[in-house]
């Protein structure tokens, strides 16, 4: 399967690219600065994820799109994720690509009911800037008409995987459950759904 990983140079994106390669997928890595991205066995596209022409070129011919974009300063308000999502969705619609997997965060949308108190506190304080942007991104995805999956991981760290990672998983038809899996593997699995 041909998969486009947007935000491939980020911590989550790099791990997702590795897992997609291991899974036998043909990977296109969409990065902001190609000269700083050195991963073999992938096609690399450099650009701004909010630029329609660049995104059209990246999306063309893909079977699925995995959006791993995330801000580096979650305490500051931004529109990066929602702006990129709107550009990605429009490019997918124009190019006939149906499968979209996005990364949000636990505590967004209907996952709030599954979110422990300490994580709700984290969202309302340290992650307050990302909260509105992720909510707008999720709204755009949910109203896109695409076949989508929204993943809402709890806390992401750079530590080696030790087993379970809590992730709220929302699928287009409204199914929402808690899964404990390694996030990078989870991001690749929905792209393979038919």
């Amino acid at each position: 399967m041909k998969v486009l990983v947007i935000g491939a140079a980020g911590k989550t994106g790099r791990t997702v690219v590795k897992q997609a390669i291991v899974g036998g997928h043909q990977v296109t890595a969409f990065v902001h600065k190609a000269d700083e991205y050195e991963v073999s066995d992938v096609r690399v596209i450099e650009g701004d994820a909010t630029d329609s022409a660049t995104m059209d070129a990246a999306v063309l011919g893909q079977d699925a799109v995995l959006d791993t974009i995330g801000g580096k300063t979650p305490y500051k308000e931004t529109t990066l994720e929602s702006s990129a999502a709107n550009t990605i969705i429009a490019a997918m619609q124009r190019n006939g690509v149906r499968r979209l997997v996005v990364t949000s965060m636990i505590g967004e949308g209907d996952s709030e009911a599954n979110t422990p108190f300490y994580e709700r506190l984290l969202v309302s304080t340290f992650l307050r800037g990302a909260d509105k942007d992720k909510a707008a991104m999720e709204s755009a995805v949910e109203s896109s008409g695409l076949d989508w999956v929204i993943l809402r991981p709890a806390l992401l760290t750079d530590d080696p995987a030790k087993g379970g990672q809590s992730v709220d998983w929302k699928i287009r038809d409204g199914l929402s459950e808690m899964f404990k899996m390694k996030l990078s593997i989870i991001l690749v699995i929905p792209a393979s759904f038919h």
Side-chain angles (χ1 to χ4, degrees):
M1 173 176 290
K2 294 179 182 178
V3 296
L4 171 63
V5 180
I6 302 169
K11 292 177 183 180
T12 301
R14 284 184 183 277
T15 305
V16 169
V17 166
K18 288 177 189 173
Q19 290 297 329
I21 293 169
V22 167
H25 300 288
Q26 293 178 353
V27 179
T28 299
F30 190 97
V31 298
H32 196 67
K33 296 179 182 176
D35 60 340
E36 296 176 8
Y37 189 77
E38 296 180 12
V39 175
S40 57
D41 300 324
V42 300
R43 174 180 167 225
V44 178
I45 295 180
E46 176 180 281
D48 179 340
T50 63
D51 180 77
S52 296
T54 306
M55 193 55 66
D56 273 333
V59 165
L60 184 65
Q62 301 295 333
D63 296 310
V65 175
L66 311 176
D67 176 2
T68 66
I69 292 175
K72 293 181 180 180
T73 52
Y75 47 87
K76 292 184 180 178
E77 286 196 26
T78 180
T79 60
L80 171 65
E81 292 183 56
S82 55
S83 296
N86 284 313
T87 304
I88 294 163
I89 290 164
M92 291 177 70
Q93 291 167 336
R94 284 190 297 273
N95 290 283
V97 179
R98 301 279 318 145
R99 295 182 199 134
L100 174 62
V101 182
V102 299
T103 308
S104 185
M105 67 183 181
I106 196 82
E108 278 309 314
D110 57 4
S111 74
E112 186 174 3
N114 298 330
T115 306
F117 171 76
Y118 67 91
E119 289 177 356
R120 285 195 312 267
L121 182 62
L122 184 66
V123 169
S124 66
T125 56
F126 182 69
L127 302 174
R128 68 187 177 278
D131 187 36
K132 290 179 186 175
D133 193 27
K134 288 188 183 287
M137 178 267 294
E138 285 196 17
S139 178
V141 169
E142 290 177 4
S143 64
S144 69
L146 298 172
D147 298 327
W148 52 263
V149 175
I150 297 171
L151 298 173
R152 298 175 178 136
L155 301 175
L156 300 178
T157 70
D158 292 328
D159 298 335
K162 296 177 185 168
Q165 168 67 52
S166 294
V167 176
D168 186 77
W169 171 301
K170 183 173 183 178
I171 301 173
R172 180 179 173 196
D173 66 5
L175 176 66
S176 182
E177 300 177 28
M178 290 300 291
F179 284 85
K180 288 189 178 281
M181 298 173 121
K182 188 175 172 191
L183 178 64
S184 59
I185 295 171
I186 290 176
L187 276 164
V188 176
I189 292 170
S192 301
F193 289 163
H194 292 284

